[in-house]
Amino acid sequence: MFLDTRVLRYLTAEDWRVLTAVETGSKNHELVPTPLIERIARLKGGASGVHKSIATLAKSGLIGRMKEAKYDGYRLTYGGLDYLALHTHSSKDVVYSVGSRVGVGKESDIMIVADKTGKQKILKIHRLGRISFRTVKSNRDYLRNRQGGSWMYLSRLAAMKEYAFMQALQEEGFPVPEPISQSRHTIVMSLVQSLPLRQVSSVPDPASLYAELIDLILRLAKHGLIHGDFNEFNILIKEERTNKYTIEDGEEKETETVTLVPVIIDFPQMVSMDHVNAEMYFDRDVECIKRFFKKRFHFVPTQLGPFFKDAKKTVGKDGAKRLDATVEASGFTKKMLKELEKAIQEQQAKIDAGEAVEEEELDEDEDEEDDSGSDSDDEEDEEDQQEEEDHAVFEIPANVGRPLSDAEKGLEKLLLGGKGGKRRA
């Protein structure tokens, strides 16, 4: 799904209230009844004003109907969720303008954005429903009260988890992008001038870079963590240039030294060293690096390992902070972790089995169960709406959605390695 921001500038305060009302109602409803939307939005214009905004939002694809629904209502689309997230980032002065998409993966989109000063950043949009799996609708025991918009809930969990881990890792000095803001299923982070490792054709010293990456795996383990997807797609390589001045034959000479620095990204699959499958994840991360270096750089390490049993002994040693516990304390609970992990595992299983279906196909063909909800749920929805009041009135600056400048196009070319390929998130 492509983030289309053209409609943002034309939405009124009433449209935002109605869109937020649909999101609020989605917490307890697959299909939010129109009367409930009216009650939550509480527009001065009454029902007629709500219906006018509904028409605008539906025409723009921000909300939609369901086929064969038993009552009149609307559901929030991914486009609507995107707009609400941008709404929040903009109200915090984190995002002022949106450029083009510079990366796309099976579970996320990567966009260039900028703040009011023109400083460029990265907006990551989690989309766990892009390659979906039918069991997420039929096998809902692990979602319980989250039936409404389960794929949105899972995407939100993925963003929450990634943001929490990025904060914890940055505080401990790990090379990760700076986490700036998180809203719903999106994260805003610093832009790292770099290339994915998979686009690097050669390095001056493969052994040194390999050792540094293995050291990162062991450092993570010492802090109680396993990346879970540590490969050439999720490792960025940036260049750090330093100038050294020497005196030769009475003359000062300047020598430039280039150092390759790895930066880790993509943390939704990160797990604790205490996880039931921790050894499998640890060994897989190590093997991914070994396999890539052998294939790309023809480098084979002379030593075996590292091994999980040895890494396990280092957890928490030398004063290392258990970051798995830190993230749980931040509000991302074990229950959330299990829900997200199960969803990702089932999705990957479907992909491996060739049974994955596109999000659009599910939206069009799948027969949804209607859920009218209870009166108590409706009252909770109306109370939740109060929390959104401070952001109800919002106006997107006119240059949101503008084309990239020449400088941004050059940056996009840099990020994509000049080959026109798409970077996996």
Side-chain angles (χ1 to χ4, degrees), residues 379-397:
E379 291 173 3
E380 290 178 9
D381 292 340
E382 293 181 44
E383 292 174 2
D384 291 340
Q385 173 70 4
Q386 284 296 132
E387 300 177 6
E388 303 290 339
E389 292 299 306
D390 293 338
H391 304 296
V393 179
F394 175 72
E395 184 177 349
I396 293 285

Side-chain angles (χ1 to χ4, degrees), residues 106-133:
K106 67 178 183 294
E107 295 170 351
S108 61
D109 285 334
I110 308 297
M111 310 286 299
I112 285 186
V113 297
D115 59 21
K116 288 184 177 181
T117 67
K119 182 178 181 180
Q120 294 179 325
K121 305 172 185 179
I122 287 294
L123 171 69
K124 181 173 183 179
I125 308 173
H126 286 269
R127 300 197 189 283
L128 261 65
R130 164 173 286 136
I131 298 178
S132 193
F133 43 93

Side-chain angles (χ1 to χ4, degrees), residues 162-348:
E162 180 158 35
Y163 189 74
F165 274 118
M166 288 177 69
Q167 286 183 312
L169 290 168
Q170 186 192 39
E171 290 175 2
E172 292 300 314
F174 281 88
V176 298
E178 177 190 357
I180 298 172
S181 179
Q182 183 256 323
S183 174
R184 297 170 175 84
H185 63 319
T186 67
I187 299 174
V188 178
M189 64 188 80
S190 61
L191 172 64
V192 179
Q193 299 282 5
S194 60
L195 284 174
L197 179 59
R198 70 181 180 87
Q199 292 184 2
V200 177
S201 58
S202 64
V203 294
D205 187 0
S208 178
L209 181 59
Y210 171 84
E212 193 165 357
L213 293 176
I214 293 297
D215 181 64
L216 280 174
I217 292 176
L218 295 175
R219 279 181 62 196
L220 286 171
K222 194 172 185 178
H223 286 273
L225 297 174
I226 302 170
H227 186 281
D229 202 14
F230 199 79
N231 55 48
E232 65 271 21
F233 295 96
N234 296 324
I235 299 169
L236 305 179
I237 302 297
K238 69 175 182 177
E239 294 183 347
E240 288 190 353
R241 299 177 181 271
T242 56
N243 294 323
K244 183 179 180 181
Y245 297 91
T246 58
I247 303 295
E248 294 183 13
D249 299 328
E251 295 183 1
E252 184 179 68
K253 291 188 176 181
E254 178 182 353
T255 305
E256 184 180 65
T257 303
V258 178
T259 304
L260 300 182
V261 180
V263 179
I264 318 170
I265 60 171
D266 202 18
F267 307 101
Q269 298 188 80
M270 185 166 272
V271 298
S272 168
M273 284 288 286
D274 295 331
H275 189 278
V276 63
N277 295 320
E279 185 169 4
M280 181 273 289
Y281 286 120
F282 181 88
D283 291 345
R284 187 175 69 181
D285 281 357
V286 172
E287 183 58 30
C288 280
I289 296 303
K290 287 185 175 182
R291 184 170 58 249
F292 177 78
F293 270 71
K294 180 179 180 180
K295 181 178 180 180
R296 178 63 56 86
F297 306 128
H298 308 292
F299 171 81
V300 179
T302 57
Q303 294 181 336
L304 298 176
F307 300 104
F308 174 77
K309 63 179 182 179
D310 297 324
K312 181 72 172 178
K313 297 175 183 178
T314 69
V315 176
K317 298 294 184 180
D318 302 322
K321 188 176 181 180
R322 289 290 300 257
L323 297 184
D324 48 349
T326 299
V327 169
E328 184 178 348
S330 73
F332 193 87
T333 65
K334 288 183 178 180
K335 178 183 176 183
M336 292 178 177
L337 185 62
K338 289 179 179 178
E339 291 177 353
L340 179 60
E341 182 182 331
K342 183 170 183 178
I344 291 175
Q345 288 177 345
E346 290 191 19
Q347 175 168 288
Q348 188 60 50

